[in-house]
Amino acid sequence: MAVLDKHFLHKLKSNIIFVVIYTIAFILMYETFPYIAPFLIGGMIAFVISPISQKLKKKFKINTGISTLILSFLGVAIVIGLASAFIVSGTKHLVNLLNNISQNSDYINQIAMDLASKASSYIEYIQDASNINIESLIAKYSGSLMNITKNLLTSIIGLASSIPYIAIFTITLFIATYFIAKDIDIIEKSFYNMFAESTKVKVKNVKKEILSSLVGYIRAYTILMGITFLITWISFAILKIPYSSILGFIAAILDLIPFLGITVIYVPAIIYYWIIENYFLVITIGIVFIGLSLLRQILEPKLVSINIGLSPLATLAAIFIGIQVKGIIGIIFFLGLVMMHQILKKVDIL
């Protein structure tokens, strides 16, 4: 006597196969990404510029090869330019920060000592139990501040050694983008020819849904990062905290990292103003921090579910489980898993 329905067992088997295949594909992609990155990025750029090239051919009778070559160059130039601008800007601000630390090392050491002194008053019983003197520890290790600064500056200068790799990466990216864009129709046709005629329509629908979901995913997190940037920038500017725009930008980027996120910006600021006894800023920054954290936790599942088309519960579960498993990579994995499962159900593959 059968306990489970045959249709349910068939569905269960199909879902297990899907999860196994998806997991293997994701792991392979993750582990080989450093080696296939130029081709993946080139494929993405090619996918964007290919329709533009076709429109230029139809409207202005421009040769596809020439338009693809120009658009490939522009696409790669934009990607490399944005990445370079981000790295150069970040490096510049880091150098300035390190220079400020070097010039004010005595003042920073004094702040650390003051912090240790205040902390000691609250944890004297720990010191009595363990014979640990926090101030002596701070005094002992604060001398290494300059060494840390020098090491970081050396690492920044050491980026110059990566120039040959960057050059090879850029050339490979340009060539890959050009040839993928040039032959994208042939590549798509060869891919679709693997499937039976009845399946081709479903595969094309899967492609359409995946693209729509990816655009929605990017849109959702762009909105979240924009909210983080604006709230941090405006609130810090109103409170006359130095480098408000830079801190807002860093907070927006760090917002992609689970757990850490805006904590890296807000908590040190709260500690600093607590040390210098500016309790108004401590309370104000703390309120902004708590408010922004709550707002993000409320908006993230809703924005992702609306833009990708997943249920809020499934989105929340994917985000929570992903964070527990492997941070941002875990979120991408589980959101992708749920998204792909829904897409395959929608096109009647699962």
Side-chain angles (χ1 to χ4, degrees):
M1 179 180 175
V3 177
L4 298 175
D5 181 68
K6 289 184 179 181
H7 179 70
F8 171 78
L9 290 173
H10 175 72
K11 285 284 186 182
L12 180 61
K13 181 181 177 182
S14 300
N15 280 285
I16 291 173
I17 293 172
F18 158 70
V19 171
V20 171
I21 293 174
Y22 174 85
T23 304
I24 293 172
F26 187 90
I27 292 172
L28 285 174
M29 187 80 69
Y30 178 73
E31 294 294 336
T32 60
F33 183 78
Y35 310 104
I36 62 175
F39 305 99
L40 281 177
I41 298 171
M44 293 176 188
I45 298 172
F47 192 82
V48 172
I49 67 175
S50 183
I52 301 174
S53 179
Q54 294 298 326
K55 287 182 180 179
L56 289 174
K57 181 181 178 181
K58 290 179 181 179
K59 194 168 184 179
F60 301 104
K61 308 299 181 184
I62 299 176
N63 181 272
T64 305
I66 295 174
S67 63
T68 301
L69 181 65
I70 295 171
L71 289 170
S72 297
F73 176 78
L74 290 174
V76 172
I78 290 171
V79 171
I80 297 298
L82 290 174
S84 300
F86 175 75
I87 292 171
V88 169
S89 177
T91 302
K92 179 182 175 182
H93 292 305
L94 180 59
V95 170
N96 290 335
L97 174 64
L98 294 176
N99 286 334
N100 289 333
I101 291 174
S102 299
Q103 294 168 6
N104 299 281
S105 58
D106 292 338
Y107 173 68
I108 293 171
N109 287 340
Q110 185 59 47
I111 289 176
M113 294 294 291
D114 291 342
L115 177 62
S117 179
K118 289 186 177 183
S120 295
S121 64
Y122 293 105
I123 56 174
E124 286 180 353
Y125 66 94
I126 295 178
Q127 291 180 320
D128 292 337
S130 58
N131 294 319
I132 295 174
N133 191 296
I134 295 178
E135 291 186 12
S136 65
L137 289 176
I138 294 291
K140 178 180 178 181
Y141 291 106
S142 61
S144 64
L145 183 62
M146 292 299 297
N147 291 331
I148 294 172
T149 303
K150 291 176 182 178
N151 290 336
L152 286 172
L153 286 171
T154 303
S155 299
I156 292 170
I157 296 170
L159 287 173
S161 63
S162 302
I163 289 176
Y165 171 77
I166 294 171
I168 294 171
F169 181 92
T170 303
I171 294 169
T172 305
L173 177 60
F174 171 71
I175 295 172
T177 301
Y178 172 71
F179 282 109
I180 293 173
K182 183 174 176 290
D183 299 329
I184 195 166
D185 292 334
I186 298 172
I187 294 170
E188 283 191 357
K189 187 177 180 181
S190 300
F191 175 72
Y192 289 134
N193 284 339
M194 294 190 299
F195 304 98
E197 289 297 326
S198 58
T199 310
K200 283 182 183 179
V201 177
K202 293 182 178 181
V203 174
K204 289 179 180 179
N205 288 335
V206 169
K207 173 191 167 185
K208 181 180 177 181
E209 293 290 339
I210 289 174
L211 291 175
S212 176
S213 297
L214 285 175
V215 171
Y217 182 85
I218 293 170
R219 186 190 302 118
Y221 278 95
T222 301
I223 293 171
L224 287 170
M225 291 171 67
I227 292 171
T228 299
F229 169 74
L230 288 174
I231 292 177
T232 303
W233 174 39
I234 293 172
S235 60
F236 279 23
I238 292 173
L239 296 171
K240 296 182 179 180
I241 295 174
Y243 307 109
S244 57
S245 60
I246 297 169
L247 292 172
F249 179 75
I250 295 172
I253 299 299
L254 292 174
D255 203 24
L256 291 171
I257 304 175
F259 293 119
L260 289 177
I262 58 175
T263 304
V264 176
I265 298 296
Y266 281 83
V267 171
I270 291 170
I271 293 173
Y272 171 76
Y273 286 109
W274 177 67
I275 291 170
I276 64 174
E277 298 182 351
N278 190 334
Y279 299 116
F280 172 75
L281 285 182
V282 170
I283 295 170
T284 308
I285 295 172
I287 292 171
V288 174
F289 174 51
I290 294 170
L292 180 56
S293 299
L294 291 174
L295 180 64
R296 196 189 183 286
Q297 294 302 317
I298 293 169
L299 288 180
E300 184 174 20
K302 289 186 177 180
L303 282 172
V304 173
S305 64
I306 290 170
N307 285 281
I308 297 182
L310 300 175
S311 71
L313 180 61
T315 304
L316 183 63
I319 293 172
F320 178 78
I321 297 171
I323 288 173
Q324 303 300 318
V325 174
K326 201 173 175 60
I328 187 66
I329 299 300
I331 292 176
I332 295 172
F333 173 82
F334 283 100
L335 276 178
L337 178 67
V338 176
M339 182 185 73
M340 280 300 301
H341 184 269
Q342 179 164 306
I343 289 172
L344 294 179
K345 279 185 68 177
K346 189 181 292 186
V347 299
D348 294 325
I349 292 179
L350 283 180

